Amino acid sequence: MRNATANITIFLVLCAAMLVPGSAEGGNAARGDFEFFLDTATFRLQAGGLQQDLYIRIPNGGLAFKKRESEYISRTKLTILIVDADAREKVNEILDVSFSERNQEDANNPVRFQTLIKTYNLEPGSYRLSVALMDVLAPKKTLMGMVRKKYNVALINDYPLDVPEFSETDVSLSDPMYLWSIERVDGRTQYHPNPSRLFGLYLDTLQVYLEAYVPAGYADIGRLNFQTVILDTEGEVVKQASIQLPARKSTPATAPGFDVYPIVIREDLTRFTAGAYSLYVSAGIDEGGHVNVPCGKFVVAWDMRTWELSRKTYLAEARFLLGDDDYGKFKTYDMGKQEAMLKRVWKEHDPDPSTGANEAYDIFL
């Protein structure tokens, strides 16, 4: 079971981790004065009910840090709004959140980020989630901004939050939690989310956490078969794997509840080219029917600029190189495809491919 969120109704975790923000184009990337990334997952609780995790990752490069005694502090205001299909408010929270770094180098490091985790308990259904983040310490850029105390703001608006209804009679799967890292703390496993779903240069192994839920007593029938399939943007199978988890001695079938199988998917991505990929998983007991779940897309990128540059800077480079039509298409691409496109264009502009450097790019910088 996930250590970080078990049996907690509402909580907030602040953590700083090395390595980078991405600059993804997509529904989980905020728009505004700086960047942050959002992802969600729903899990079943053995005590009853459902748990929705919200994962937010904020690059240090988008935050203003100020020295306070022996550390550097950033202050933000987080607003979370969740409405149901009838536009009725289910969550409306405003929180003051502070981050700290040990020194100025860490505070200014473009390859460090902050992670927020919020957890709620909603009933099955379709919801819309909006998240706004205000950087309170960001310098006001104009005189009127100073007078009106206008802060830097980033926003994700109307993000779809679908809470599933899990089967009581058949095997079911939780949503995926894409992971940045896994570590052992005080003898317990902690999973650190990767809301941008960006892998490659700084993280060359895909890691995804899921839970399989098997009705109590049902697991005695046989082993749990678990399969994964990764597709590219053309729908071609890039990688597939299957494992069998041994049957467990569980409670009698007449007893309420279910058994939980924690599952971590790990796939080596070193042979994957830059681009977007889709993950699908399925699970079932021996010869019984399998439940199939699409786990969404993730992105693989290998260029340092894709990871370290802010989206505004990355788009500025593309705007410099591309015509209107190509730039319009570029903005709609995922990070991996953007990376491949810029790499190809710079290669075309390289005046002497026999050298180890691209002189045209050096002049551009």
Side-chain angles (χ1 to χ4, degrees):
M1 293 289 288
R2 292 161 302 118
N3 173 50
T5 57
N7 302 319
I8 299 176
T9 303
I10 296 178
F11 79 108
L12 181 63
V13 174
L14 308 182
C15 61
M18 277 303 294
L19 301 172
V20 282
S23 52
E25 172 71 28
N28 70 331
R31 297 294 176 261
D33 297 314
F34 58 99
E35 298 171 327
F36 70 82
F37 301 89
L38 172 70
D39 206 357
T40 64
T42 297
F43 300 90
R44 293 185 75 176
L45 299 175
Q46 287 188 301
L50 305 175
Q51 176 174 291
Q52 296 77 48
D53 289 354
L54 276 58
Y55 313 120
I56 301 170
R57 187 169 82 169
I58 313 152
N60 275 12
L63 296 172
F65 285 85
K66 292 191 176 181
K67 188 173 184 180
R68 180 183 297 172
E69 297 178 352
S70 60
E71 58 184 357
Y72 287 79
I73 301 295
S74 177
R75 290 178 51 216
T76 64
K77 189 178 292 291
L78 175 68
T79 301
I80 298 176
L81 175 66
I82 301 176
V83 299
D84 64 15
D86 297 319
R88 292 174 298 193
E89 287 188 7
K90 295 298 180 179
V91 174
N92 191 344
E93 276 197 286
I94 301 177
L95 300 167
D96 292 317
V97 183
S98 295
F99 306 105
S100 65
E101 290 287 7
R102 295 167 298 176
N103 51 60
Q104 188 173 18
E105 182 180 0
D106 288 342
N108 295 334
N109 193 333
V111 293
R112 285 185 70 88
F113 58 83
Q114 310 293 328
T115 302
L116 300 173
I117 304 175
K118 282 289 294 177
T119 297
Y120 299 99
N121 298 98
L122 299 171
E123 297 295 324
S126 296
Y127 301 86
R128 308 300 292 185
L129 166 66
S130 296
V131 178
L133 194 65
M134 177 187 297
D135 187 352
V136 176
L137 298 182
K140 316 306 182 292
K141 297 178 180 178
T142 66
L143 178 60
M144 289 305 298
M146 296 175 66
V147 172
R148 297 174 182 174
K149 295 184 177 180
K150 185 179 184 302
Y151 306 111
N152 280 6
V153 176
L155 172 69
I156 291 179
N157 196 38
D158 277 343
Y159 185 89
L161 177 60
D162 295 318
V163 179
E165 186 167 4
F166 293 97
S167 173
E168 299 294 337
T169 58
D170 294 308
V171 176
S172 57
L173 291 171
S174 74
D175 292 333
M177 180 201 303
Y178 283 78
L179 299 175
W180 186 260
S181 63
I182 305 172
E183 65 176 341
R184 297 286 291 178
V185 178
D186 297 328
R188 305 180 71 179
T189 303
Q190 290 189 354
Y191 302 95
H192 299 283
N194 179 7
S196 68
R197 301 189 179 188
L198 176 63
F199 299 88
L201 180 64
Y202 289 98
L203 187 61
D204 61 9
T205 300
L206 174 69
Q207 299 183 111
V208 182
Y209 176 87
L210 300 103
E211 292 177 352
Y213 307 115
V214 180
Y218 195 64
D220 294 338
I221 298 174
R223 296 165 298 185
L224 177 69
N225 301 309
F226 186 80
Q227 300 175 343
T228 63
V229 177
I230 298 175
L231 306 179
D232 61 19
T233 54
E234 304 300 322
E236 297 294 327
V237 175
V238 179
K239 191 75 176 288
Q240 57 184 345
S242 62
I243 59 174
Q244 289 185 326
L245 302 178
R248 295 180 176 181
K249 184 63 177 176
S250 61
T251 54
T254 55
F258 52 90
D259 296 309
V260 180
Y261 285 77
I263 299 168
V264 176
I265 300 170
R266 289 186 177 90
E267 290 289 353
D268 181 9
L269 300 175
T270 54
R271 295 183 180 274
F272 282 52
T273 58
Y277 298 86
S278 297
L279 173 66
Y280 293 83
V281 301
S282 66
I285 297 293
D286 278 352
E287 302 303 323
H290 278 63
V291 57
N292 300 295
V293 177
C295 290
K297 292 183 177 181
F298 65 92
V299 174
V300 176
W302 300 106
D303 193 304
M304 187 176 296
R305 292 172 301 158
T306 308
W307 289 75
E308 297 186 1
L309 295 181
S310 69
R311 175 159 181 79
K312 290 182 179 179
T313 303
Y314 202 74
L315 289 177
E317 178 178 329
R319 194 68 188 96
F320 175 81
L321 290 172
L322 305 175
D324 292 341
D325 290 343
D326 285 340
Y327 180 69
K329 295 176 183 177
F330 181 89
K331 290 193 296 182
T332 67
Y333 293 159
D334 62 78
M335 284 183 295
K337 195 169 183 178
Q338 288 179 341
E339 176 181 300
M341 186 174 184
L342 283 187
K343 185 176 181 179
R344 184 180 68 252
V345 173
W346 279 119
K347 186 175 181 179
E348 293 171 353
H349 284 80
D350 189 351
D352 188 356
S354 65
T355 65
N358 187 328
E359 292 78 9
Y361 184 67
D362 293 339
I363 294 172
F364 167 78
L365 291 180

